[in-house]
Every structure is written in structure tokens, then in C-alpha cells.
Amino acid sequence: MQKPLKDAITICKTILRNGYDAHIINAPLHERLLPKAKHPAVDLASEADTETLFKLFPKAERLTEGRAIAGMEQDGVLYRFYPLVEEDSSHPELSLLRITPTLIEQLDDEDRRTLRLVGFGEPEPTNDRYEGFRDVKDGVISLVGLPDETLRHNYLLAVRALRFAANFDLPIEPNTWMAIVRASTRVLDYASDADIMDEWRKVSAEALYRFVQLMFDAHILQGLIPEVAALTCVRQKRNESGEEETVFAHTLACMRHYPEEDFHYDWLGTMAMMFHDVGKLYTGEYAGEEWSFYQHHRVGAKVTRKILRRLHFSAEDIDLLSHLVKHHMHFKFMLTDRGIRRFKALDEYPRLIAMARAEVKARDGSSTSFNHNMKYLERADTPEQMLEPLLNGNEIMEATRLKPGPLVGIIRDALLQAQIAGDVTDADSARHFVCEYAKKAG
């Protein structure tokens, strides 16, 4: 082994003994390049920061060019120190730094074409959320350099690219898209669920349906939330015309319509729409040449809770989303006064109304039941005794001994007005009132 490499090993051992990782960057390549180098140099990767290196090696000096943080001259050889850092969501091999800008400069053109490297010689990584992406002025979302290589340094960029595409409603550059699809399994292997959901939460409510579609098309959703992705295999009637659709397509349509009107920024409500039919995967039954999904809302609430725990949602958000999934069917049926009162007593009932509205729009179906319920919703604030008389027609005839006829209806209306005025408060006073009214009318 050449002396510069032996000395480099000694330097690395000094760093290691002081509790920091260190290694020679691509020792085989150094061994090939050193004999013909005009100014011999060896590049080292070190976990130690600059101040620590200066304490360990008094001759070391700060470097400002490239990504090297320090350099040290010894026996005519320059030893450069590079930071040993990598994203948690990078490929495992990148924990071992293999190339540097100065090594690339020493390669001949053929070697450079063969290596097809990207991203070296750049400034140190920053916290810029657009780092790793080209400017969107060209109207597409594109990773810098060679997309496959860029993703190897941080697979979370794949999810971020989908986020940008959804929020900005822009297409993804074809080579970037293929790199994301090729890396889909590695995204799930090396990017944590918590980091993926952190990106997900930065998608606007109105763009969530596009993001979920992109996650599915990129084959990431299938691994992250297989219960939702599997809804592409479940079919149902779209409306009374008999047209069929997948439950997944219906889910996306509902997510698109939910943020309309007063819910533009309701991220959690839109997420509830993503899960509202997840129970159909478990309750689907085929009989009489059609599918049924009885109690899918209750089953779906339990499945939603399981998924959200897996994705590290807060307990508060889990309770909210599970509640919305469980009760999303209440407003779909034509409700009575009593039904409306029970519905309005539910927590988050405005969101449940928005979910029902989104389903009506997604199906292009009849809105008769929805409009009826919205009209009756106003009556829920009126005391129940003011909506129906305490005695029905038969009870009025029994109390007054009248025969069926217009007078019974007149007495019924008078009884309701007496209730509203507070003159009648219970069944006994109601019977007394109708008897007296009948005597006067007779």
C-alpha cells in the first residue's frame, strides 16, 4: 500500500479513537490516481466537525472550496476532510461516501461518462425545501441531475415531488417520474412513515385527491396504505343509471368535491373522505347480481383507527377521523324531525353534511334526500312541541267524540298554535283544550 494511504489510515484511526466515524473515500480509486497526481491528495470522510478536527490536528486549516471542511498538509500530501452526513431516507450505500469533486476532476472523460455521477461539487445541503429540484419555471416538476441518483441520496424527495405536483397542479418530468416509480419500494424501505406523513400534511386540502392519485400511480400508496389502494378492486354502482365505478375512483371524486364551499382548508375533513368507504373492502357481498356493503361505515371506522395509529397520527386526529367515518352515512337518508335532531346532536355535524354533499356531487345523483335534510335542519332549532301537536287526529276524535271531518283538522291546528303560545304544555291540558274548542265550535 502506498505511503499516503497508510498515513490516511493513521489519521482515520486518530479520529476513531476520539469517538467519531471516519474512512478513506474510495481507497481503490485513490490507489489508481495517486501515482500520476501532480499534487498528491487523499480525501477522507469524517463525522467530526471542524473545531474537533482542529484540536486533533493542529496543522489542519479551514477549506472554503467545494464540500471539504478542512485540509492538512503532511509530507507533501494534502489530506482533505469531508463531512460524513447523509439523509435518514437515503440509500444505505451512501453512508459510505465514495466520490468527491476533487476525485472527479482527476478522472478522464471516459471515467466520468461511465460513473454518471450527480450532485458532487455542490454546496453543502441546506434546509431549502426545493433542494434537489429544478426551478418550476419550465412548468414541470423535475429532480436535478440524474433523477435515480438524486433519489438515492434522499428517497423522501420522491414523495416531495408528488406533493409539489399536486399543490402546483404541474406534471412530473418523464425521467423524474420513471425514477420515482422505480424507487417506490425503496421509498417505503428508507423513508419513515412519519416523514412521509409530514410531506402529506403539506398538501393542501384541495390538492389531496391529486396527491393520492399520484401516490397510487407511483405504487407508493399500495405499500403505505394498502387498504385504500385495494379499493381499486372493489366495484359499485355510481348512481341509479346503473353505471359502475371503482370505490377508489369514487373516493377521489369525493375528496375533490369535499373542500368546496366552506371547507377549502379542511385537511382533516378531506382525509376523512379518503377513508369513508375503506370499510367496503371488508363488507362487500355479491348477491342478486349486485354488490352490497352493509355496515361499511362502522367497520371502516375501526379500520381507519388502525391505519392512523400505524401512520403515527395524534390521538385527537384519530378520534376525529374515525368519528367522521363512522357517522358519514347519517345525512344520506331522508330524515324525520327526530332523525334531524339526533343528527344535529352529533359532534362535527357540519363536516358530516359536507361529506354527504361531496358524495352527492361525486355520483351526479339525486339530491332530493340531501335537500330535504337541509330544509329540515332549520327546524331542529325549534322545540319539538312546536312542530307536532300533542294529540293526533284519532286522539282528538276520541277526546271530543267527533267524527272524521274538517273540524278535526281545524282543532288540530288550533292545538298546535296553543302549544306554541304556551297555553298547552302536556297531554292532559291538550285534551282539555280540544274538548273546550269542540264545544265552542258546536
Side-chain angles (χ1 to χ4, degrees), residues 208-224:
L208 273 173
Y209 79 95
R210 288 195 295 266
F211 180 75
V212 173
Q213 180 70 70
L214 288 168
M215 288 282 282
F216 177 83
D217 293 342
H219 293 267
I220 297 174
L221 187 68
Q222 289 85 330
L224 186 67

Side-chain angles (χ1 to χ4, degrees), residues 153-200:
H153 287 77
N154 185 0
Y155 285 113
L156 193 60
L157 293 181
V159 181
R160 192 167 300 163
L162 304 185
R163 169 165 71 89
F164 290 158
N167 278 341
F168 300 147
D169 196 12
L170 290 175
I172 298 176
E173 186 271 328
N175 290 313
T176 294
W177 174 251
M178 287 304 299
I180 292 172
V181 175
R182 283 193 289 263
S184 60
T185 57
R186 291 189 289 277
V187 170
L188 297 168
D189 286 339
Y190 303 124
S192 71
D193 291 349
D195 285 342
I196 292 175
M197 291 313 303
D198 184 56
E199 291 292 328
W200 197 314

Side-chain angles (χ1 to χ4, degrees), residues 402-442:
L402 290 173
K403 293 181 179 180
L407 182 57
V408 175
I410 293 172
I411 295 175
R412 181 182 181 279
D413 291 340
L415 174 60
L416 181 58
Q417 292 301 317
Q419 289 174 207
I420 294 173
D423 297 333
V424 174
T425 57
D426 54 31
D428 289 338
S429 60
R431 278 189 287 271
H432 178 75
F433 175 86
V434 298
C435 290
E436 293 298 316
Y437 197 98
K439 288 178 183 179
K440 293 178 183 178

Side-chain angles (χ1 to χ4, degrees), residues 183-429:
S184 60
T185 57
R186 291 189 289 277
V187 170
L188 297 168
D189 286 339
Y190 303 124
S192 71
D193 291 349
D195 285 342
I196 292 175
M197 291 313 303
D198 184 56
E199 291 292 328
W200 197 314
R201 283 184 176 274
K202 294 172 184 174
V203 180
S204 69
E206 293 171 309
L208 273 173
Y209 79 95
R210 288 195 295 266
F211 180 75
V212 173
Q213 180 70 70
L214 288 168
M215 288 282 282
F216 177 83
D217 293 342
H219 293 267
I220 297 174
L221 187 68
Q222 289 85 330
L224 186 67
I225 315 177
E227 299 90 344
V228 172
L231 296 178
T232 56
C233 302
V234 184
R235 301 194 67 81
Q236 65 181 12
K237 282 187 178 180
R238 184 168 182 267
N239 48 40
E240 294 303 318
S241 69
E243 178 186 354
E244 279 199 346
E245 65 178 352
T246 67
V247 176
F248 184 73
H250 171 70
T251 296
L252 293 180
C254 289
M255 293 179 71
R256 178 164 60 90
H257 288 296
Y258 177 88
E260 296 171 353
E261 300 192 20
D262 298 327
F263 295 85
H264 297 290
Y265 306 106
D266 190 3
W267 189 90
L268 286 171
T270 311
M271 286 294 289
M273 284 268 59
M274 185 179 80
F275 292 111
H276 83 287
D277 274 351
V278 71
K280 289 184 176 180
L281 177 64
Y282 302 90
T283 59
E285 293 181 342
Y286 190 75
E289 298 186 352
E290 64 179 35
W291 286 97
S292 61
F293 308 96
Y294 299 122
Q295 297 299 307
H296 75 273
H297 50 295
R298 290 183 176 273
V299 174
K302 292 180 179 293
V303 175
T304 299
R305 187 174 293 276
K306 178 191 71 172
I307 294 170
L308 296 178
R309 283 172 177 164
R310 188 176 71 224
L311 297 177
H312 309 291
F313 273 62
S314 69
E316 182 181 0
D317 287 350
I318 291 173
D319 288 342
L320 170 63
L321 293 176
S322 300
H323 170 81
L324 293 176
V325 172
K326 181 178 181 179
H327 296 289
H328 81 271
M329 294 287 290
H330 275 59
F331 208 72
K332 291 183 64 174
F333 303 102
M334 193 174 289
L335 298 173
T336 63
D337 278 317
R338 179 174 295 178
I340 282 289
R341 291 173 191 280
R342 283 178 57 82
F343 171 78
K344 200 168 183 181
L346 291 171
D347 291 336
E348 302 292 341
Y349 77 86
R351 276 174 161 151
L352 294 170
I353 294 173
M355 293 176 77
R357 179 188 291 112
E359 286 217 69
V360 171
K361 291 183 177 181
R363 292 181 182 275
D364 292 333
S366 171
S367 57
T368 302
S369 295
F370 181 85
N371 293 337
H372 165 87
N373 291 340
M374 289 299 294
K375 186 175 181 180
Y376 267 52
L377 199 65
E378 300 173 2
R379 292 160 58 105
D381 293 327
T382 305
E384 195 167 1
Q385 66 268 25
M386 295 185 182
L387 297 175
E388 296 292 339
L390 290 168
L391 302 177
N392 59 33
N394 289 330
E395 291 170 329
I396 291 173
M397 288 187 289
E398 182 181 346
T400 60
R401 296 183 180 180
L402 290 173
K403 293 181 179 180
L407 182 57
V408 175
I410 293 172
I411 295 175
R412 181 182 181 279
D413 291 340
L415 174 60
L416 181 58
Q417 292 301 317
Q419 289 174 207
I420 294 173
D423 297 333
V424 174
T425 57
D426 54 31
D428 289 338
S429 60

Side-chain angles (χ1 to χ4, degrees), residues 11-12 26 47 55 68 97 114 127 129 150 173 191 232 246 249 276 325 331 356 370 393 437:
I11 293 171
C12 289
N26 207 329
E47 188 184 13
K55 291 178 182 178
L97 190 58
T114 302
N127 292 323
R129 62 176 178 155
T150 302
E173 186 271 328
T232 56
T246 67
H276 83 287
V325 172
F331 208 72
F370 181 85
Y437 197 98

